[in-house]
Amino acid sequence: MNLLQLQNGTKQFGTKLLFDRAQFAINEGDHVGVIGPNGAGKTTLFKILVGQESLDSGEITKSQKLKVGYLEQESREPLDRSAEEFLTEISLTPIWELKQLGLELGLSERHFRVPFHELSGGYRMRMKLLSLIGRQPNLMLLDEPTNFLDLESVIALEKFLQGYEGAFLLISHDREFLRRTTDHTLEVEQGEITKFPGNIDDYFEQKAQLRTVLEAQAANQETKRKHLQSFIDRFGAKATKARQAQSRAKQLEKMEKIEIKDLPVRARIKIPPPVHTGKESMLLTNATLGYLNQDEGAQKTGLEKSILTGVNLRLERGDHLGVVGFNGAGKSTLLKSLAGRIPLLQGERKLGYQVSLSYYAQHVSEELNPEDTVFESLEKAAHKDILRQDILNIAGSLLFNGDAIEKKIRVLSGGEKSRVALGQILLKRSPLILMDEPTNHLDFDTVEAMTEALKSYEGTVVVVSHDRGFIGRIATKILEIRDGRAEIYPGTYDDYVWSLEKGALKARYAAIQNIQEKASPSATEPKSERTENSNRPKDFTKKYQAEARESQRQITKIEAKIANLTKEQEQTTDALNASLAGSANGDPGRRDEIQTLTATLDRLTKEITQLEDELLAQIEKLEQAESFLTTLPQE
């Protein structure tokens, strides 16, 4: 059933047309990723749907059952009140349920008790998520919900959205997050809004297929058009052929023109090569990182607040280091210390031969001079050897073309300011680049372009990011911040994410089990009775042996289903390729067949993915049962 439907929606800001007779529908249970370049109108669309903005023309039809919840990038909370008071007042969900979800998002009991103004931006974002969920909407609008969340919290939010029974629209530049949480993609681009079935990977595949089909149809149509026109030009004046020529002229007039829009301008970033340096970029030796306490008494006694201790880190030319860890663990402190923004409390920091560095902080765009133009901002930051054309090239690669480079910083959007700050960093030709959450406020395409540029950068890069696709493709080494230490992780980034997912899952189940035990009547039984009933290894052995057998049976069954579906998937792929080839050869009737085969392929892919998830779950159950059996005493 439709929750809402936009019909012939038009919206214009000044001379810019955001939507031109756009239309789409959202159904119950749809999990929709919303993508498009900055300025295309994604946030404006959300504001229109919740009534904060209005359409110039068009209509939005809403179901009587529709209940919308909106998570904005910027919103106001009661800063003088505690989160618990606020949530208790506005939520339909019991506060203990919200607290349980809050624990999974990295919140503690203390965060619920203190006033909002004492919470950092990341923790406020978590509380806003809880307040939204607590209102129990059946359609959530989420505008960049992962900004300021650490990886563990992103994973917890991801698991929540995967199991969410309602519908949601999700604006995000995080490709991995979109891949894991959505089953449709809504493209907002060039005045149109188009809904595609499938996640972000399916979107790119379908987009390429549709363009191939349209280009082939357009080429065939142009050939036919030229043939008809040639006949008209050749025989139109001849009496014996006049009737045929007129018939072809009418046919030519009625022929529907296939329009193929120009591809939108995408960010293509080329970073100027770094200046030549020695092999070593930076060395930290026996370093203690932290801050001097700022209160008067602490300054008098020289007290310090250490965040990380015993840090030994050697960065070499070409190292691409991804820094990971929970919020508050000390990632930003590490980058500030590497950048020299805060002094070491102990130890030594040494830059390599001829090494200079650039530092992209989370709020670096706020340091831009609002009266500078885009070009002036970039020019002031550029290395002395950078030519004017190089500056224009970087500006163009960041989508500042033509008159846009003369815009004042004060009139730019948040995303545009972030692109200017990014351009400043790239133009310095620094052999060492430090970046703290650089993807926040950038659109999907710019993140993709920056990923590819940094991936091939010859200099040293140190990156803190919650965006798995970004850091996973850039980082060749992983530095984990945990428990006041900073150590190289013995594995790849994918290994780290996998271990974190399993750890977060175990913590979640442990917390749920703890709550259930407290609520269970058995918790009030005398200790002696509980001990007597719980110490029965024979019963446990039978239980886990039965569980292991059942899991093995399910594994065999699921593997057989996957094999059958994979075979069907291969056959469907072959048929689709044949249809695409036939369409390219001038068979217009192939389009419906292509759409049917594409939908079938999408369904099969989803079914296989779901079965693979079930297979992994059964394998984990089998491993868990076998693990318990090895720990039980043998009779």
Side-chain angles (χ1 to χ4, degrees), residues 309-571:
T309 59
V311 179
N312 292 286
L313 179 62
R314 175 186 170 91
L315 295 172
E316 295 185 351
R317 184 179 65 247
D319 279 348
H320 288 183
L321 185 71
V323 182
V324 298
F326 303 149
N327 277 356
K331 301 189 298 296
S332 293
T333 301
L334 173 69
L335 258 66
K336 289 176 183 176
S337 300
L338 292 175
R341 295 291 182 97
I342 56 175
L344 302 184
L345 299 181
Q346 292 181 30
E348 183 182 9
R349 169 184 174 271
K350 181 182 177 182
L351 279 172
Y353 175 68
Q354 290 191 331
V355 172
S356 61
L357 62 85
S358 296
Y359 174 46
Y360 184 99
Q362 289 192 38
H363 306 291
V364 68
S365 61
E366 298 173 4
E367 300 175 9
L368 299 174
N369 185 339
E371 296 307 316
D372 283 344
T373 65
V374 171
F375 183 83
E376 289 169 345
S377 285
L378 295 175
E379 185 180 39
K380 288 179 181 179
H383 187 272
K384 61 183 178 63
D385 294 337
I386 293 292
L387 303 176
R388 175 183 174 85
Q389 188 58 49
D390 295 326
I391 298 173
L392 293 175
N393 290 342
I394 281 288
S397 72
L398 293 170
L399 308 185
F400 292 108
N401 297 298
D403 295 339
I405 63 171
E406 298 301 328
K407 283 185 177 180
K408 296 283 189 182
I409 297 298
R410 55 181 163 80
V411 304
L412 301 182
S413 68
E416 289 172 327
K417 289 178 182 177
S418 295
R419 292 208 299 272
V420 173
L422 177 62
Q424 289 183 326
I425 299 297
L426 303 182
L427 284 167
K428 290 181 178 180
R429 293 191 63 198
S430 299
L432 173 57
I433 297 178
L434 310 174
M435 310 186 87
D436 193 355
E437 297 292 359
T439 64
N440 284 351
H441 308 301
L442 296 181
D443 62 44
F444 186 86
D445 288 318
T446 306
V447 170
E448 288 290 298
M450 184 168 63
T451 302
E452 291 304 313
L454 289 174
K455 185 178 176 181
S456 58
Y457 187 58
E458 297 173 1
T460 303
V461 181
V462 181
V463 177
V464 171
S465 178
H466 64 270
D467 187 327
R468 277 167 293 179
F470 176 69
I471 199 169
R473 283 181 284 169
I474 290 174
T476 56
K477 294 181 180 179
I478 300 299
L479 184 74
E480 183 181 20
I481 309 293
R482 180 188 291 272
D483 301 327
R485 309 288 294 180
E487 297 178 349
I488 296 295
Y489 183 78
T492 65
Y493 182 68
D494 288 340
D495 294 335
Y496 172 77
V497 173
W498 184 88
S499 66
L500 191 62
E501 285 178 328
K502 298 308 172 186
L505 196 61
K506 288 178 182 177
R508 176 187 179 196
Y509 288 152
I512 293 172
Q513 185 178 8
N514 186 40
I515 289 176
Q516 290 174 340
E517 287 176 352
K518 288 181 179 179
S520 172
S522 63
T524 61
E525 293 177 8
K527 181 177 179 181
S528 60
E529 292 183 21
R530 293 202 307 272
T531 304
E532 179 182 351
N533 291 330
S534 62
N535 190 21
R536 299 168 65 179
K538 181 184 291 186
D539 292 345
F540 278 121
T541 300
K542 290 181 179 179
K543 174 186 175 183
Y544 291 121
Q545 285 176 340
E547 287 186 3
R549 287 194 298 270
E550 176 60 21
S551 292
Q552 188 60 65
R553 189 179 71 83
Q554 290 295 333
I555 288 170
T556 303
K557 183 178 177 182
I558 293 170
E559 286 177 339
K561 287 183 179 179
I562 291 175
N564 291 333
L565 288 174
T566 300
K567 184 176 180 180
E568 186 179 351
Q569 184 186 47
E570 292 172 353
Q571 293 171 346

Side-chain angles (χ1 to χ4, degrees), residues 161-220:
L161 292 178
Q162 286 171 344
Y164 183 64
E165 295 182 357
F168 63 75
L169 293 172
L170 164 66
I171 297 174
S172 179
H173 57 255
D174 186 333
R175 184 165 181 165
E176 186 67 20
F177 188 69
L178 288 169
R179 178 186 292 118
R180 290 169 175 250
T181 57
T182 62
D183 53 31
H184 288 79
T185 300
L186 196 71
E187 177 193 67
V188 182
E189 191 172 80
Q190 295 183 311
E192 296 185 351
I193 302 177
T194 309
K195 186 180 179 185
F196 291 83
N199 65 19
I200 189 70
D201 292 337
D202 300 319
Y203 158 78
F204 281 118
E205 184 177 346
Q206 291 174 61
K207 188 85 169 169
Q209 288 176 348
L210 286 174
R211 189 168 185 86
T212 299
V213 170
L214 285 175
E215 287 175 345
Q217 289 178 343
N220 290 333

Side-chain angles (χ1 to χ4, degrees), residues 119-126 128 147-149:
L119 297 176
S120 67
Y123 289 126
R124 285 190 196 181
M125 174 64 79
R126 292 164 170 80
K128 287 194 289 186
N147 280 356
F148 310 113
L149 298 185

